[in-house]
Amino acid sequence: MRRAEGRLAAHGARALLLTLALAAGAGTAWAQQQAAPGTLPIVVGQGPGGTSYSVPIQTLLVFTALGFLPAVLLLMTAFTRIVIVLSLLRQALGTQAAPPNQVIIGLSLFLTFFVMQGTFDEVYQKAWQPYTAGQMNAETAFQEGLKPMRSFMLKQTRQSDLALFGRLAKLPEDLKPEDAPFRVLVPAFVTSELKSAFQIGFMIFIPFLIIDMIVASVLMSLGMMMLSPVLVALPFKLMLFVLADGWNLLLGSLAASFVT
């Protein structure tokens, strides 16, 4: 019985390999029929909007650009400040996994889209729509799309951070912030966001730290040395946060901190 099953498995594997080989050969033959003999079409035409590439090349460029989206989202938007503040809030409350990382990251993403809605709309109207309509080429659309992002980052970047990276990059001292290259603007913006996030986190920690100190003092005065102050203080922290409508205050303050 086992030999018969082994033979059937071997025949099945051979049939699967043969099917894959035939499919690959058919796909190769179809691609050769569609393309020019021995070549893959890259450029299919020239238009008023610039060079028009074939669908495979466009797909390759799109998937290549997708690899840079996480870095763009993390370093050029409001995501950095929001996710750090929410993580510090969880540590201040003393909860180990509530809310979980998935909830924090998801909330940070949607709050980032809410804050960046005006900037993204401006990029769409000034860069994406003219590019898809053939009114400008890809390079011009890319430059136009960077202008709203540059304006947003400049509003949130401290002058001291921008001057620091300008000196490190050996730029002229009289260079205007609007003319700073992205290799200087992006790290200065991230540094400013980290400072703002930790400042907000410090203000969040103060009331919860007071509760921890009060609970620890009461337990020590009662002689309850074996009872964990963190465990006793957690319900009081949660009660304070809920009664003060903490989520409303925190998320509203985060969104308002980007309005200048």
Side-chain angles (χ1 to χ4, degrees), residues 245-256:
D245 199 5
W247 288 113
N248 193 328
L249 292 175
L250 179 62
L251 298 181
S253 300
L254 274 175

Side-chain angles (χ1 to χ4, degrees), residues 8 20 26 30 37 52 80 85 95 129 139 145 168 173 178 198 202 216 237:
L8 289 176
L20 292 176
W30 179 84
S52 178
T80 302
V85 170
T95 56
Q129 282 187 341
E139 183 178 359
L168 294 177
E173 296 183 358
E178 294 79 8
F198 280 104
F202 172 76
K237 292 180 182 180

Side-chain angles (χ1 to χ4, degrees), residues 41-55 57-58 61 131 137:
I42 297 180
V43 179
V44 297
Q46 298 283 342
T51 304
S52 178
Y53 294 96
S54 61
V55 175
I57 300 302
Q58 292 180 6
L61 295 176
Y131 173 69
N137 54 25

Side-chain angles (χ1 to χ4, degrees), residues 59-219:
T59 305
L60 176 63
L61 295 176
V62 169
F63 278 99
T64 303
L66 288 177
F68 294 95
L69 282 181
V72 172
L73 180 63
L74 289 175
L75 302 180
M76 298 176 61
T77 63
F79 181 82
T80 302
R81 184 190 305 184
I82 296 172
V83 73
I84 290 178
V85 170
L86 294 180
S87 300
L88 291 176
L89 170 65
R90 184 174 62 180
Q91 294 183 9
L93 287 173
T95 56
Q96 298 297 327
N101 291 331
Q102 293 84 348
V103 175
I104 290 180
I105 294 176
L107 180 59
S108 301
L109 284 173
F110 280 98
L111 192 58
T112 299
F113 293 147
F114 175 79
V115 171
M116 301 290 297
Q117 180 181 359
T119 304
F120 289 158
D121 289 342
E122 191 174 355
V123 172
Y124 178 77
Q125 295 174 2
K126 293 185 177 180
W128 180 253
Q129 282 187 341
Y131 173 69
T132 54
Q135 300 176 0
M136 63 176 61
N137 54 25
E139 183 178 359
T140 305
F142 179 75
Q143 296 297 331
E144 291 295 326
L146 287 180
K147 291 181 180 179
M149 300 298 298
R150 176 188 291 273
S151 177
F152 170 79
M153 289 190 292
L154 283 175
K155 292 178 181 179
Q156 307 299 328
T157 304
R158 293 176 172 84
Q159 296 294 329
S160 59
D161 297 328
L162 193 61
L164 169 63
F165 286 97
R167 289 194 304 268
L168 294 177
K170 298 181 179 179
L171 297 179
E173 296 183 358
D174 57 348
L175 185 67
K176 297 181 180 179
E178 294 79 8
D179 300 330
F182 265 82
R183 62 187 176 91
V184 173
L185 179 58
V186 172
F189 169 74
V190 175
T191 304
S192 297
E193 287 296 285
L194 291 175
K195 289 182 180 179
S196 300
F198 280 104
Q199 288 176 356
I200 299 174
F202 172 76
M203 300 302 297
I204 293 175
F205 260 91
I206 290 179
F208 299 116
L209 181 61
I210 293 175
I211 294 178
D212 285 333
M213 295 175 61
I214 293 175
V215 171
S217 300
V218 172
L219 292 178

